């Protein structure tokens, strides 16, 4: 792939637009500018909504089988271009190519899954209890949707929203993260090639998302907002969505506990912990954030995890030997190092890492801390980096209580060889998703989402398309 800086426009109404201002996209491994992208403003946002609103009736009326075939063609095209999209993802967000290839496969599965779901949108027909009329329900597309996606999975977080939206018959305006807009723009071209009509998908990169979002949320033609990002921003978007009574889906921050019980298979738990912590250098909302370990196995688990983290090679994602890429930017590295320093100052012991490496790029080494005190900030904030913090508890009750002591409720992990304990703890953990003896829960066929302050709604699974459908009820005289 050509890595020379190129200029990319906005995708509105099926064509590329290049208004005046642009912003730079940088490779976090080197700091080098890799592209310039048109910077959308409120006027561009309304133009994109114009296109989406005009395309909405025809797209909603397109036969489900036709929508399904378009999504299936998009799946095939994306799989065929795995290397191209993987290189693009690595270029703009830094992760190793092997992980970027895995993201492309994951992203493609949402297109295939919802291609299959498009033809299964069903209603209901039944007789009213009094026998005097029929109750008929149908499910209809919500209408134009605004999709806001994060930088950490620049392709999959889009297909996870676009797949069900298009399958349901909704048009969309996508605002990718300003750090990683290139995959979104490439996907827009791919969808158009697959047969998505002009105006159904629009993409608006912007360096200043506030005015763009305000303009869209204030327009009565917009009917839904789907957001993946921090809880703080989610709260603001919910408030902005209230005047228009918009349908909202929110996939917000996490503070995932990873419980290791005294009867756990320690080697399996350490393998699962490595996946749950180090995938994407820990830059994932479902990354394990707090390792809560029974005191009887704490030392063994810490050593097993240290032995797996220590050999991981830090380096640019384009280097096939790299296993851990850079963080998204210098600000992220500074924040994460501050959390590590705070924990160490309060008494935590650093077993591995904990120092900023010399040289270019926003790199931070795999870091492992033990004896982390309860008041350490990294136990109460989403780390979003390659830092594992171990705390010790005396029994199951204390472990579950510690796991639930957070306002977040996205995902939790637990390792035990006791089947009864697995179900008991799984039921008690306050999270929308639970990985039992498994460090990875994400799958296109499963409903992804949280409880408490980790969000509203679900993405993926049979439930994912429901977020883009409304129920219409008709009472028909018998």
């Amino acid at each position: 792939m050509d890595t020379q800086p190129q200029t990319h426009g906005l995708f509105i109404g099926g064509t590329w637009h290049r208004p005046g201002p642009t912003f730079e996209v940088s490779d976090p491994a080197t700091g080098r500018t890799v592209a310039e992208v048109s910077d959308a403003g409120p006027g561009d946002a309304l133009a994109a909504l114009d296109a989406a609103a005009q395309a909405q009736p025809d797209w909603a009326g397109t036969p489900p089988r036709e929508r399904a075939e378009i999504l299936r063609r998009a799946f095939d095209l994306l799989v065929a271009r795995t290397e191209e999209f993987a290189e693009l993802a690595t270029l703009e967000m830094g992760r190793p190519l092997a992980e970027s290839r895995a993201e492309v496969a994951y992203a493609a599965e949402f297109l295939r899954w919802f291609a299959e779901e498009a033809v299964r949108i069903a209603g209901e027909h039944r007789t009213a209890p009094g026998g005097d009329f029929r109750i008929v329900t149908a499910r209809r597309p919500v209408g134009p949707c605004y999709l806001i996606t994060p930088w950490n999975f620049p392709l999959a977080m889009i297909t996870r929203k676009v797949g069900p939206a298009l399958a349901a018959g909704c048009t969309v305006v996508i605002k990718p993260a300003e750090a990683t807009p290139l995959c979104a723009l490439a996907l827009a071209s791919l969808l158009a090639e697959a047969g998505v009509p002009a105006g159904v998908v629009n993409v608006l990169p912007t360096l200043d998302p506030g005015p763009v979002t305000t303009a869209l949320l204030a327009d009565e033609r917009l009917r839904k907002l789907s957001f993946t990002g921090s809880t703080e921003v989610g709260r603001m978007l919910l408030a902005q969505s209230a005047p228009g009574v918009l349908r909202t889906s929110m996939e917000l921050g996490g503070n995932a506990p990873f419980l290791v019980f005294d009867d756990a298979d320690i080697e399996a738990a350490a393998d699962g912990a490595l996946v749950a912590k180090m995938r994407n250098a820990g830059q994932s909302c479902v990354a394990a954030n707090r390792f809560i370990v029974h005191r009887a196995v704490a030392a063994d688990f810490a050593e097993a995890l240290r032995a797996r983290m220590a050999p991981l090679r830090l380096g640019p994602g384009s280097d096939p030997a790299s296993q851990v890429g850079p963080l998204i930017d210098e600000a992220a590295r500074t924040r994460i190092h501050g959390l590590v320093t705070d924990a160490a100052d309060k008494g935590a012991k650093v077993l591995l890492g904990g120092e900023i490496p010399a040289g270019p790029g926003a790199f931070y080494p795999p870091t492992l801390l033990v004896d982390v005190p309860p008041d350490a900030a990294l136990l109460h904030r989403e780390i979003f980096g390659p830092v594992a913090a171990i705390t010790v508890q005396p029994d199951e009750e204390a472990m579950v209580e510690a796991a639930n002591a957070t306002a977040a409720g996205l995902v939790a992990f637990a390792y035990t060889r006791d089947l009864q304990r697995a179900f008991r703890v799984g039921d008690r953990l306050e999270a929308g998703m639970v990985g039992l003896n498994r460090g990875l829960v994400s799958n296109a066929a499963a409903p992804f989402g949280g409880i408490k302050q980790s969000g509203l709604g679900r993405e993926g699974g049979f439930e994912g398309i429901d977020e883009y459908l409304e129920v219409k009820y008709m009472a028909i005289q018998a």
Side-chain angles (χ1 to χ4, degrees):
M1 176 181 290
D2 182 8
T3 58
Q4 294 302 309
Q6 299 180 21
T7 301
H8 302 266
L10 315 175
F11 191 70
I12 300 174
T15 60
W16 294 100
H17 298 258
R18 290 182 170 82
T22 62
F23 63 92
E24 295 180 347
V25 178
S26 300
D27 176 358
T30 63
R32 180 175 61 88
T33 298
V34 296
E36 291 194 358
V37 178
S38 292
D39 190 0
D44 303 306
L46 294 179
L49 185 55
D50 286 344
Q54 289 169 13
Q56 179 61 50
D58 287 345
W59 183 244
T62 301
R65 176 62 68 193
E66 186 175 334
R67 297 200 300 267
E69 293 297 337
I70 289 172
L71 286 170
R72 177 64 201 211
R73 284 196 295 274
F75 164 80
D76 290 334
L77 287 170
L78 186 52
V79 170
R81 297 174 188 171
T82 293
E83 202 63 21
E84 174 186 340
F85 275 86
E87 290 178 5
L88 196 60
T90 289
L91 186 66
E92 65 178 343
M93 71 85 53
R95 75 157 76 87
L97 269 171
E99 290 196 14
S100 290
R101 293 185 188 104
E103 186 195 351
V104 176
Y106 179 48
E109 282 303 315
F110 287 105
L111 300 176
R112 175 159 65 174
W113 177 264
F114 286 108
E116 295 163 347
E117 289 301 291
V119 296
R120 295 181 174 87
I121 299 171
E124 191 176 58
H125 176 282
R126 66 184 188 270
T127 302
D132 53 336
F133 71 99
R134 308 289 176 86
I135 296 172
V136 177
T137 62
R139 296 160 80 199
R140 298 286 183 256
V142 169
C145 304
Y146 182 37
L147 314 179
I148 304 177
T149 59
W151 53 261
N152 57 333
F153 290 92
L155 184 63
M157 296 301 96
I158 296 177
T159 61
R160 198 163 75 179
K161 299 176 189 297
V162 165
L166 298 191
C170 297
T171 59
V172 301
V173 177
I174 304 166
K175 190 210 75 64
E178 51 268 33
T180 57
L182 304 183
C183 281
L185 295 168
L187 181 65
S189 291
L190 183 145
L191 291 171
E193 184 179 346
V196 174
V200 172
V201 172
N202 307 274
V203 182
L204 296 177
T206 178
L207 195 59
D208 186 9
V212 166
T213 296
T214 297
L216 289 171
L217 296 184
D219 195 302
E220 63 181 12
R221 296 172 298 174
L222 188 73
R223 294 313 314 141
K224 178 177 173 62
L225 166 68
S226 178
F227 170 73
T228 297
S230 72
T231 300
E232 292 74 18
V233 174
R235 290 193 193 102
M236 292 188 290
L237 291 173
L238 284 170
Q240 284 185 270
S241 300
V245 195
L246 291 180
R247 283 279 295 274
T248 57
S249 300
M250 295 277 156
E251 197 267 280
L252 306 178
N255 187 8
F258 190 107
L259 285 68
V260 182
F261 290 97
D262 53 339
D263 63 346
D265 180 331
I266 297 302
E267 296 303 312
D271 287 341
L274 193 70
V275 173
K277 177 73 268 183
M278 294 304 300
R279 187 169 68 108
N280 209 30
Q283 298 175 117
S284 169
C285 57
V286 292
N289 211 60
R290 298 169 294 142
F291 289 86
I292 301 170
V293 186
H294 191 282
R295 64 185 175 191
V297 296
D300 290 343
F301 174 76
E303 175 53 30
L305 184 56
R306 188 204 64 78
R308 285 159 173 79
M309 293 176 67
L312 295 176
R313 180 168 175 175
L314 201 63
S318 57
D319 182 349
S322 296
Q323 295 168 290
V324 181
L327 301 175
I328 190 62
D329 55 29
E330 291 288 347
R333 182 168 72 171
T334 299
R335 181 185 62 80
I336 289 167
H337 188 59
L339 292 174
V340 172
T341 301
D342 169 77
D345 289 345
K346 291 175 178 174
K349 181 180 179 181
V350 181
L351 288 188
L352 182 70
E355 297 292 338
I356 294 177
F363 291 97
Y364 199 78
T367 297
L368 177 62
L369 300 97
V370 296
D371 301 328
V372 179
D375 61 340
L378 53 66
L379 297 180
H380 307 282
R381 300 177 190 172
E382 193 170 23
I383 299 171
F384 234 67
V387 178
I390 295 177
T391 64
V392 177
Q393 295 294 342
D395 54 35
E396 178 183 313
E397 185 64 30
M399 292 173 70
V400 173
E401 183 178 344
N404 290 338
T406 174
L410 187 58
V411 66
F413 305 92
Y415 273 74
T416 175
R417 283 186 274 205
D418 183 330
L419 182 61
Q420 290 183 328
R421 170 180 272 169
F423 279 101
R424 181 172 66 246
V425 169
D427 285 342
R428 292 186 62 197
L429 289 171
E430 296 173 354
M433 301 173 288
V434 178
L436 292 172
N437 296 324
R438 181 174 174 81
L440 180 65
V441 298
S442 301
N443 190 281
F448 188 105
I451 61 174
K452 298 199 287 188
Q453 294 188 28
S454 284
L456 306 167
R458 294 296 182 268
E459 295 186 317
F462 299 118
E463 298 82 356
I465 201 167
D466 292 339
E467 302 293 334
Y468 297 89
L469 294 166
E470 293 181 323
V471 176
K472 175 176 284 187
Y473 151 59
M474 291 182 286
I476 302 177
Q477 186 66 37

